[in-house]
Amino acid sequence: MRRVGSIAIVGGGSSGWMAAAHFGRLFPDLKVSVIESDTIPVIGVGEATVPLLTLFMDRLGFPDPQAWMKLCDATYKTGILFEDWRAQGEAYWHPFEYLDYVDVGIHAGHCWLNWHRAGDPAFRTRQSFAEAFFPSFRLNALGNRAPAFREVAYHIDAGLLGEFLRKAAPGVERVIGTVQAVERDAEGDLEAVVLDGGRRVAADLFLDCTGFRRVLMRAAAPENRFDSYARSLFCDRAVVIRMKHPEGAAKEAALHPYVRAAARSAGWIWSIPLYGRMSSGYVYSSAFLSEEEAERELRAYWRLGDRDVGPVHKVRFETGKLDRSWAGNCIAIGLAGGFIEPLESTGLAITQTGIELAGSMLDARVYDARTVARYNAHMTKFYEDILHFIIVHYCLTRRRDSAFWRAVAESTHVPEALAARLEVFRRLLPTGATRGTNEVFMFRDISWFAVLLGMGFNFEAAPVPDKLQTAARMIRARKAEQLAEQERRLPNHYRYLRENVFGRP
Ligand SMILES: Cc1cc2nc3c(=O)[nH]c(=O)nc-3n(C[C@H](O)[C@H](O)[C@H](O)COP(=O)(O)OP(=O)(O)OC[C@H]3O[C@@H](n4cnc5c(N)ncnc54)[C@H](O)[C@@H]3O)c2cc1C
């Protein structure tokens, strides 16, 4: 058993400050220090999140999102619009709302499939599923309205979130310095870090929040393997720009309350509207596209010509995770622990899970080898669930129009565990029970169903009894009424934010 009376967090990006706020506010008896370098920059591209973030902020004592949205340049995110993934010219909607069940294990998706197969003209297109059962599709994806549902996430400036949380963690000691050396005890545990000015910071537990550098973990457990996802996910670079929004009415169109993820020749482009600027990045594979070509394609996407849009950030990354997120007395949080491409906005959610899980396991301020093993098993499953979900956005594509998409279609590695899940989903569909083919999961039934449907997955669910179809039609009618009422009532997303959150254009 090891006791924890002090925690040193190295890294002042959003991971470092999320961890500091969590431990500083919820574990006031612990001595918590954050060491941040004033020479090594943070990664902050303009991030999209998942609804889980609301819970994180709530637990810290910020139940009203509008209070912190203003300080983080945040806007609402109600889902993701995927364009050109299965085939060019096609789009699908991944909402955050809940699926309606008509019986145990049977939901609106089963009924939709039934009608679609029977040739019902109202359900001819795959998009008709979102149109019928997810008002957020018409309201938000097509209409740019303020969110009408509780299940929302945010587009956020992760750097500003870090600053907000820094101010929200008053008991936490902030040390400016760059770690130059790491001291280990006779058993190999970390004892202290030594900073560039010579200062030494000792602690019982260390959180490595140093991003892709993994400064502490490399020293604490050099044998800790990095499990690469490169066989399944081919993208390894991003070019990122941030642009001013257009003025006037065009701004209402620009501030869409959802992420746009548009597949391109060797990857995909995100559009994430923050309140002050549009963040956009091209996530691509360096095996198929050079940095210059990627920047050119990104500029062409936005019809920028030679317009100056400020600095263009170039990011190299390797998708994968450390075999052990927790080794000895060091836990790697955020980018230090691993990275999956941001297609489903999971970066901050992985960070949050890593922090909250560590927090719950340190409730008694002690841990042992079993705690560490449990933590690592949980994080591995969590990453695996996200990895599986991201792979299905690629491996089902029908695109063959570029070398990248041909390679994706022909040689994406589908792990056995994912293939087994897909077999279950094929027969039973993703439901509250079958998503649990992974006992630790990030994505719910609706997420899996929406993406698999959008990608044209071949579901083979059994026919649905008539009385359940009747129930689904009633749900659909209720949603249509709800939609009509909300279309009358809900303002434009940008105008709503201007009037209720920011108080300025
Ligand atoms: C292209 C891209 C797109 C992304 N999109 C999304 C998204 O849409 N949604 C999402 O949730 N996440 C996204 N992410 C992830 C998200 O940006 C990160 O999870 C988030 O910024 C947290 O990063 P971090 O704090 O772990 O690392 P960083 O921001 O890299 O911070 C590392 C910190 O460690 C410090 N440091 C490094 N070395 C030392 C040293 N020797 N001594 C002291 N300090 C040191 C640095 O100064 C810095 O403060 C994306 C990431 C990338 C690369």
Side-chain angles (χ1 to χ4, degrees):
M1 272 299 169
R2 294 167 192 221
R3 294 198 169 281
V4 178
S6 58
I7 300 182
I9 299 166
V10 180
S14 49
S15 304
W17 284 109
M18 281 171 79
H22 184 83
F23 285 102
R25 285 177 85 94
L26 305 182
F27 293 69
D29 54 307
L30 296 185
K31 178 178 182 314
V32 180
S33 319
V34 175
I35 297 146
E36 59 178 331
S37 166
D38 53 359
T39 53
I40 303 171
V42 301
I43 294 223
V45 292
E47 280 78 1
T49 61
V50 295
L52 213 56
L53 185 70
T54 316
L55 283 178
F56 183 79
M57 300 302 278
D58 198 356
R59 275 185 205 123
L60 293 184
F62 306 109
D64 174 15
Q66 296 193 351
W68 53 264
M69 284 177 76
K70 189 174 177 174
L71 299 168
C72 299
D73 204 26
T75 65
Y76 287 105
K77 172 183 166 193
T78 56
I80 306 179
L81 189 64
F82 288 96
E83 295 168 323
D84 301 331
W85 283 84
R86 178 179 177 273
Q88 284 171 299
E90 284 189 13
Y92 66 91
W93 177 238
H94 173 190
F96 288 148
E97 297 154 77
Y98 285 87
L99 255 178
D100 289 284
Y101 278 73
V102 288
D103 202 352
V104 176
I106 301 182
H107 53 60
H110 293 82
C111 300
W112 179 89
L113 272 175
N114 232 52
W115 301 327
H116 176 71
R117 286 205 195 106
D120 186 328
F123 302 106
R124 200 173 46 79
T125 64
R126 282 191 298 276
Q127 195 160 296
S128 64
F129 171 68
E131 279 165 359
F133 291 103
F134 290 93
S136 64
F137 179 63
R138 290 183 70 95
L139 285 168
N140 303 136
L142 303 182
N144 274 11
R145 302 299 181 101
F149 308 94
R150 270 189 323 111
E151 298 81 26
V152 286
Y154 308 90
H155 306 128
I156 197 164
D157 182 322
L160 292 180
L161 176 69
E163 277 179 36
F164 173 80
L165 292 175
R166 171 155 60 78
K167 290 176 194 143
V172 172
E173 184 195 19
R174 182 180 181 211
V175 183
I176 304 292
T178 303
V179 172
Q180 297 290 0
V182 168
E183 293 176 4
R184 296 168 73 184
D185 66 16
E187 286 168 28
D189 272 357
L190 297 180
E191 213 165 46
V193 290
V194 183
L195 310 185
D196 43 1
R199 180 165 170 191
R200 185 177 178 278
V201 181
D204 299 324
L205 185 71
F206 289 81
L207 303 190
D208 186 345
C209 298
T210 60
F212 292 134
R213 291 167 193 260
R214 305 195 172 95
V215 173
L216 297 192
M217 197 50 101
R218 279 184 210 280
E223 76 294 349
N224 194 1
R225 197 180 66 230
F226 184 81
D227 290 331
S228 168
Y229 298 155
R231 283 203 300 157
S232 301
L233 303 176
F234 298 164
C235 293
D236 58 357
R237 299 275 193 285
V239 278
V240 184
I241 52 176
R242 286 187 171 198
M243 298 167 287
K244 278 197 187 135
H245 290 304
E247 298 295 330
K251 192 162 180 181
E252 296 187 3
L255 257 83
H256 42 80
Y258 58 91
V259 171
R260 248 195 152 97
R264 308 314 282 177
S265 77
W268 58 280
I269 290 179
W270 80 69
S271 308
I272 297 180
L274 303 177
Y275 190 69
R277 277 174 301 171
M278 175 67 84
S279 154
S280 183
Y282 188 2
V283 175
Y284 65 97
S285 165
S286 62
F288 296 93
L289 207 65
S290 70
E291 220 166 53
E292 295 71 35
E293 288 167 324
E295 186 178 339
R296 221 175 299 133
E297 214 176 313
L298 181 62
R299 294 184 74 91
Y301 178 80
W302 288 101
R303 296 195 180 86
L304 289 174
D306 292 332
R307 210 173 91 203
D308 179 15
V309 285
V312 177
H313 297 287
K314 297 179 173 148
V315 188
R316 292 174 173 222
F317 58 80
E318 191 180 359
T319 55
K321 74 173 276 292
L322 286 173
D323 174 40
R324 289 175 294 148
S325 306
W326 186 339
N329 64 340
C330 177
I331 310 178
I333 303 279
L335 296 178
F339 183 63
I340 303 183
E341 63 181 80
L343 189 53
E344 284 284 351
S345 323
T346 44
L348 295 179
I350 294 174
T351 301
Q352 172 179 348
T353 303
I355 294 167
E356 291 179 336
L357 187 62
S360 69
M361 289 185 168
L362 292 170
D363 202 30
R365 296 0 178 209
V366 291
Y367 68 93
D368 62 11
R370 279 168 310 175
T371 322
V372 174
R374 273 205 338 270
Y375 183 90
N376 287 334
H378 187 104
M379 288 309 287
T380 298
K381 290 263 177 213
F382 190 64
Y383 270 96
E384 182 184 69
D385 189 58
I386 297 171
L387 170 67
H388 287 177
F389 190 52
I390 300 297
I391 292 174
V392 299
H393 295 67
Y394 283 105
C395 68
L396 299 169
T397 188
R398 302 272 167 97
R399 285 186 67 154
R400 302 289 187 275
D401 53 288
S402 69
F404 172 80
W405 287 106
R406 283 190 293 278
V408 165
E410 285 154 21
S411 49
T412 297
H413 169 67
V414 175
E416 260 175 49
L418 171 57
R421 292 179 90 179
L422 290 177
E423 264 324 293
V424 175
F425 292 157
R426 187 186 304 285
R427 286 180 291 109
L428 301 175
L429 270 55
T431 67
T434 60
R435 71 162 181 222
T437 49
N438 231 27
E439 62 269 34
V440 177
F441 60 87
M442 165 88 202
F443 289 100
R444 293 183 287 124
D445 44 8
I446 176 55
S447 300
W448 280 97
F449 185 69
V451 172
L452 287 173
L453 182 68
M455 292 303 296
F457 183 69
N458 187 18
F459 290 114
E460 288 166 6
V464 176
D466 285 349
K467 75 171 198 265
L468 298 181
Q469 291 186 46
T470 306
R473 286 191 192 278
M474 283 164 67
I475 291 170
R476 187 187 167 219
R478 204 180 61 229
K479 300 232 168 194
E481 277 170 29
Q482 201 186 3
L483 177 71
E485 192 271 323
Q486 283 164 336
E487 270 182 329
R488 271 195 308 275
R489 187 171 57 79
L490 284 174
N492 168 270
H493 178 225
Y494 163 60
R495 265 182 279 145
Y496 177 82
L497 289 171
R498 190 183 60 198
E499 280 152 34
N500 296 284
V501 180
F502 289 87
R504 58 171 170 80

